[in-house]
Amino acid sequence: MKILVVGGAGYIGSHMVKHLLRAGHSVVVADNFSTGYRNAVPDCCACVELDIANSEALDTLFATHSFEVVFHFASFTQVGESIEQPGKYYSNNLSATLTLLQTMLRFDVKRFIFSSTAAVYGNPQTTPIDEDHPKQPINPYGRSKLMVEQVLEDLDQAHDLKSVSLRYFNAAGADPEGTLGERHDPETHLIPLILQAASGRRSEITIFGNDYDTPDGTCIRDYIHVSDLVDAHARALDFIIEQKCSATFNLGNGTGFSVRQVIDTARRITGKNIQIREAARRAGDPARLVADAHRARDQLGWQPRNSSLEQIIEDAWHWEQQYPWS
Ligand code: UDP
């Protein structure tokens, strides 16, 4: 198929591009490189520097290629930043996404695979969280994603645009072949920061909050390997083609690990004595976020295969040890 991957130079997008190319699809990456890396996209793949807020540039791109489906990974994803700069989040994650969707409609492209997030749920009222759980996001990041999901429902009703929204829990790990991985700047995510402490790139890992209502007092999260996320997207593509309907799926492992458990596992795998510092809670962190991903298992036939915490950390450690990345 002829596929546009927006944000294909970023962490999850670049893993997706690798998979799609290997599956024989014709892929075009569009990325503004604000957080992505050109060298995360293989040379054999068409790659356009483009901001999806730019309607004219999108028109040119869509006039050049007859896309059959669009994957959209190009979002800002930092909760804390979204609280400090909500306009940045609504502008890119909502408004620019709407510009992309309107371009799709103008060119009669009606299949859309969207990176959503567990942040749409806010503080969980029940756990594990299924897709019908109330959606009450507690920060602009989560709200911007929920708003796009709502826009997508309306566009399906009005224009028959079919979409699959995939609500990621904690994306983690790296390409098992070692060619791609996480490289956010600044890095804010737990596992890469722990591994930076293990490799000596930072002196310690800070634990944000030790007084949560969890067995060891630290937050519990559901870590899902990036390769399992990619597999779910590939299945979402089959789903949208075969079922011709829109849907929303949680993507998580169904098992939660505390911050301390993650650090202990990283110590075991790396053999390094990772220093910790205990600090106050980080604003906006719910105590426990664990997915009920039965819908994805039932309807997509999806089953996480690489998402043991050990596998996630092993692959991320392999990637970290290649630093500096070329
Ligand atoms: N966390 C931490 N220290 C860090 C970064 C994260 O203790 O340096 C905690 C954070 O408070 C949360 C969990 O690790 O409970 C996962 O955070 P991350 O930023 O990786 O993902 P999020 O759950 O915010 O999407």
Side-chain angles (χ1 to χ4, degrees):
M1 295 185 80
K2 184 88 181 178
I3 299 175
L4 173 63
V5 182
V6 181
Y11 170 41
I12 302 168
S14 61
H15 288 77
M16 188 76 230
V17 167
K18 180 174 176 179
H19 175 94
L20 291 170
L21 290 171
R22 207 167 262 186
H25 294 291
S26 168
V27 179
V28 176
V29 167
D31 203 297
N32 66 3
F33 301 109
S34 62
T35 57
Y37 297 85
R38 191 177 279 276
N39 66 7
V41 181
D43 290 338
C44 64
C45 182
C47 184
V48 183
E49 182 165 357
L50 176 152
D51 193 311
I52 52 168
N54 184 339
S55 180
E56 290 77 33
L58 281 173
D59 276 347
T60 305
L61 181 69
F62 276 73
T64 311
H65 304 274
S66 298
F67 296 119
E68 293 163 272
V69 58
V70 175
F71 286 71
H72 180 25
F73 295 94
S75 296
F76 295 130
T77 60
Q78 289 181 40
V79 167
E81 185 185 57
S82 82
I83 295 168
E84 285 158 20
Q85 301 179 54
K88 175 174 173 178
Y89 278 68
Y90 291 118
S91 173
N92 183 60
N93 294 7
L94 176 63
S95 170
T97 298
L98 195 51
T99 302
L100 171 64
L101 288 164
Q102 285 177 310
T103 308
M104 287 176 59
L105 290 175
R106 269 200 303 285
F107 286 86
D108 205 30
V109 181
K110 294 198 172 174
R111 298 187 191 108
F112 188 66
I113 314 253
F114 177 57
S115 301
S116 190
T117 169
V120 299
Y121 297 113
N123 283 314
Q125 296 171 15
T126 52
T127 187
I129 301 170
D130 70 16
E131 291 84 354
D132 297 324
H133 184 284
K135 266 65 80 185
Q136 290 168 346
I138 55 172
N139 50 62
Y141 168 60
R143 274 193 282 278
S144 69
K145 290 286 186 173
L146 182 58
M147 287 174 189
V148 172
E149 287 193 15
Q150 291 165 335
V151 167
L152 289 171
E153 280 178 33
D154 291 340
L155 295 184
D156 187 0
Q157 286 285 323
H159 306 296
D160 206 31
L161 188 148
K162 301 301 177 199
S163 64
V164 175
S165 295
L166 298 170
R167 295 182 183 145
Y168 310 160
F169 279 65
N170 284 63
D175 173 31
E177 293 173 357
T179 62
L180 297 166
E182 207 164 349
R183 41 177 163 161
H184 299 115
D185 187 16
E187 187 53 77
T188 60
H189 293 109
L190 181 66
I191 291 177
L193 287 174
I194 291 173
L195 296 177
Q196 288 181 16
S199 70
R201 277 211 287 148
R202 61 181 62 230
S203 57
E204 61 192 13
I205 180 71
T206 304
I207 297 180
F208 294 134
N210 57 13
D211 56 351
Y212 284 97
D213 183 18
T214 60
D216 67 18
T218 65
C219 284
I220 290 177
R221 292 289 180 275
D222 181 333
Y223 296 91
I224 183 83
H225 197 292
V226 62
S227 63
D228 286 325
L229 291 181
V230 165
D231 178 44
H233 285 75
R235 289 167 187 274
L237 177 59
D238 293 341
F239 175 94
I240 214 169
I241 291 164
E242 288 161 17
Q243 305 296 322
K244 300 182 178 57
C245 67
S246 296
T248 303
F249 298 103
N250 282 344
L251 297 181
N253 216 350
T255 311
F257 293 96
S258 72
V259 173
R260 283 193 212 282
Q261 285 176 308
V262 178
I263 296 171
D264 287 345
T265 308
R267 281 181 173 146
R268 212 170 55 243
I269 285 169
T270 62
K272 307 283 183 186
N273 177 29
I274 299 160
Q275 298 292 323
I276 60 175
R277 185 169 69 85
E278 312 220 345
R281 293 181 177 195
R282 192 174 68 175
D285 272 342
R288 187 187 296 261
L289 283 177
V290 178
D292 177 337
H294 280 94
R295 189 188 283 180
R297 284 165 208 237
D298 295 345
Q299 296 189 27
L300 299 179
W302 178 70
Q303 177 83 38
R305 292 186 197 288
N306 297 313
S307 290
S308 70
L309 189 56
E310 285 76 12
Q311 183 72 52
I312 287 172
I313 293 177
E314 268 172 31
D315 289 340
W317 179 230
H318 184 211
W319 174 246
E320 166 62 25
Q321 286 175 293
Q322 296 177 53
Y323 182 84
W325 304 294
S326 56

